[in-house]
Amino acid sequence: AQSVTQLGSHVSVSEGALVLLRCNYSSSVPPYLFWYVQYPNQGLQLLLKYTSAATLVKGINGFEAEFKKSETSFHLTKPSAHMSDAAEYFCAVSLSGGSNYKLTFGKGTLLTVNP
Amino acid sequence: DGGITQSPKYLFRKEGQNVTLSCEQNLNHDAMYWYRQDPGQGLRLIYYSQIVNDFQKGDIAEGYSVSREKKESFPLTVTSAQKNPTAFYLCASIQATEAFFGQGTRLTVV
């Protein structure tokens, strides 16, 4: 079985400050890990993904995440927050290999950026 | 442009009615999924289909039904048996390690 825990349902930062959104996973086999962003009343957009290549993954809009197997973590960071980063962020896990790429999502973290 | 199209964007249902949400894709993906999103709950899997004429229940299938008669289409019916259908519904197709999402349908019971 696979699961994802996002620590903090709401994170608030000032514009220009570091963004850190936390994600821990549980998986019985090596996982694929994803971060998605969702703006109000829209679908999900892929920010970045880890698929067993480099452990430091760079994504769109200046975000990056580091896969740490020993900590079962895949935290999302951005050095300097922008007002346009305000959205809800979801971490997701999928089992590697096979043909069933069912995604399991965390409950989401709402990011607020203050001017 | 390739992608996932969900319709309608907003849908209102009366008590006791069945309603069908449309999901179409032109990405030629085999696998399609339906998720339900509620505030603070993340996305929960309702049904998924990995091939035409076959589909599997997800974690919260009760009160929902689907069909997969064509590769590009995966409609979701919310039946009167679903006691709390008000939610945001997202359709996705998944190929290899990437999921593509539609823009969602917001269903409200009135």
Side-chain angles (χ1 to χ4, degrees):
Chain A
Q2 60 203 50
S3 66
V4 172
T5 301
Q6 290 185 241
L7 300 175
S9 59
H10 187 194
V11 171
S12 182
V13 301
S14 298
E15 191 173 18
L18 171 72
V19 175
L20 171 61
L21 304 183
R22 300 178 187 273
C23 173
N24 288 89
Y25 71 90
S26 172
S27 175
S28 56
V29 299
Y32 292 155
L33 294 160
F34 307 81
W35 274 101
Y36 287 88
V37 61
Q38 184 183 36
Y39 298 98
N41 289 313
Q42 294 190 22
L44 273 66
Q45 180 183 8
L46 181 67
L47 277 177
L48 49 81
K49 62 183 178 183
Y50 166 76
T51 57
S52 75
T55 56
L56 181 62
V57 181
K58 295 187 183 298
I60 62 172
N61 301 338
F63 284 95
E64 63 180 37
E66 186 173 7
F67 173 68
K68 292 187 176 181
K69 184 178 179 180
S70 61
E71 299 176 8
T72 62
S73 69
F74 190 57
H75 302 331
L76 181 70
T77 61
K78 182 174 180 178
S80 176
H82 191 272
M83 296 296 289
S84 61
D85 295 326
E88 190 156 22
Y89 292 79
F90 293 93
C91 183
V93 62
S94 176
L95 299 181
S96 62
S99 60
N100 181 359
Y101 296 102
K102 187 170 62 173
L103 282 171
T104 299
F105 287 86
K107 294 188 175 183
T109 298
L110 181 65
L111 176 66
T112 302
V113 181
N114 303 307
Chain B
D1 287 334
I4 311 286
T5 301
Q6 289 187 242
S7 61
K9 188 170 178 63
Y10 298 96
L11 186 57
F12 297 90
R13 192 194 92 167
K14 294 182 180 179
E15 295 278 356
Q17 274 186 339
N18 293 353
V19 291
T20 297
L21 284 60
S22 172
C23 178
E24 303 279 331
Q25 56 108 349
N26 60 4
L27 300 167
N28 201 34
H29 291 171
D30 289 316
M32 297 186 74
Y33 298 72
W34 275 105
Y35 288 91
R36 170 178 170 144
Q37 185 177 15
D38 296 282
Q41 296 289 320
L43 278 72
R44 294 180 289 170
L45 183 63
I46 304 173
Y47 268 99
Y48 62 103
S49 168
Q50 292 180 290
I51 196 169
V52 174
N53 292 323
D54 186 51
F55 46 83
Q56 308 296 327
K57 292 182 178 180
D59 301 317
I60 56 166
E62 185 176 351
Y64 299 97
S65 65
V66 293
S67 63
R68 188 82 187 279
E69 298 177 0
K70 299 184 297 182
K71 188 175 187 178
E72 58 270 24
S73 179
F74 191 41
L76 173 73
T77 296
V78 184
T79 75
S80 57
Q82 170 50 239
K83 298 307 179 188
N84 185 23
T86 295
F88 191 54
Y89 292 85
L90 284 163
C91 178
S93 70
I94 299 180
Q95 187 84 335
T97 61
E98 191 158 348
F100 297 83
F101 284 85
Q103 292 299 296
T105 293
R106 185 165 296 281
L107 174 63
T108 303
V109 174
V110 296

